[in-house]
Amino acid sequence: MNVAEIKTNDIANGEGVRTSLFVSGCRHHCPDCFNYMAWDFEYGNPFTEETVNYIFDSVKPTWIAGLSLLGGEPFEPENQPILLDFIKRFKKEFPLKTIWCYSGFTIEEITGKKESRAYTDISTEMLKLIDVLVDGKFIKEQKNISLKFRGSENQRVIDVKKTIESNKIVLYLD
């Protein structure tokens, strides 16, 4: 897996101040994507132990709320194994910090309720470690710059833990 970008002290991609990891690789190719250069799986730099250490060091201060995963596409099958191991380590080291994830896939596609390449033998395990999922492709015809934490009206900001517990979609922002 390659890393397109890492933003520390990010206030745009989730609640509070966060570190945002933008992974490379995305097959959605949404028109007007703000991060089209990260569509290429080879874009950026390899995800290494040094990358992990850099991210972990950046989230250590108590005023950092957590980690955000973006892309590219975190739920592309090629990215899932590395991200699963990474977020397991993150949760172990920082159990009180949250993980937000932005995906062009819907939660139904990630969990296999709708057919999708995102649904793998580990996608649900990965999802269980995420606190908030912003799901759905960016649709330029539904672009709305007044929305909080999302770019188009079809996208949902989902409380993953409550959704799993209740077996129905629970929005984080309602």
Side-chain angles (χ1 to χ4, degrees), residues 64 69 87 101 105 134:
I64 300 294
L69 304 172
I87 61 179
C101 182
F105 294 106
V134 182

Side-chain angles (χ1 to χ4, degrees), residues 60-95:
K60 282 182 181 173
T62 56
W63 46 270
I64 300 294
L67 172 72
S68 293
L69 304 172
L70 307 95
E73 173 57 63
F75 278 97
E76 286 289 0
E78 296 89 334
N79 292 335
Q80 290 181 30
I82 293 169
L83 284 176
L84 175 61
D85 290 342
F86 171 65
I87 61 179
K88 279 181 178 177
R89 287 178 62 188
F90 183 88
K91 280 295 191 183
K92 186 175 182 181
E93 183 125 357
F94 305 102

Side-chain angles (χ1 to χ4, degrees), residues 25-161:
C26 182
R27 293 181 182 92
H28 296 305
H29 295 190
C30 302
D32 283 356
C33 173
F34 80 97
N35 205 12
Y36 63 88
M37 60 288 258
W39 293 352
D40 181 353
F41 284 86
E42 300 303 316
Y43 180 78
N45 298 303
F47 185 83
T48 63
E49 191 62 29
E50 289 77 28
T51 309
V52 173
N53 293 336
Y54 177 77
I55 292 169
F56 281 15
D57 285 344
S58 76
V59 299
K60 282 182 181 173
T62 56
W63 46 270
I64 300 294
L67 172 72
S68 293
L69 304 172
L70 307 95
E73 173 57 63
F75 278 97
E76 286 289 0
E78 296 89 334
N79 292 335
Q80 290 181 30
I82 293 169
L83 284 176
L84 175 61
D85 290 342
F86 171 65
I87 61 179
K88 279 181 178 177
R89 287 178 62 188
F90 183 88
K91 280 295 191 183
K92 186 175 182 181
E93 183 125 357
F94 305 102
L96 301 178
K97 298 192 186 268
T98 60
I99 298 177
W100 281 52
C101 182
Y102 287 75
S103 177
F105 294 106
T106 64
I107 196 168
E108 294 85 0
E109 292 170 319
I110 294 166
T111 58
K113 291 179 181 166
K114 285 181 77 176
E115 191 173 323
S116 166
R117 70 180 177 276
Y119 179 60
T120 69
D121 57 341
I122 64 171
S123 59
T124 303
E125 184 181 358
M126 188 172 146
L127 188 65
K128 288 178 182 175
L129 296 167
I130 293 167
D131 298 287
V132 177
L133 176 70
V134 182
D135 80 340
K137 293 178 185 177
F138 171 75
I139 298 175
K140 76 176 189 175
E141 294 79 19
Q142 294 184 33
K143 181 178 179 178
N144 183 341
I145 60 170
S146 70
L147 298 171
K148 207 169 185 181
F149 304 122
R150 55 200 174 113
S152 60
E153 292 178 1
N154 63 297
Q155 295 172 314
R156 302 173 293 185
V157 182
I158 298 171
D159 184 317
V160 177
K161 306 288 184 236

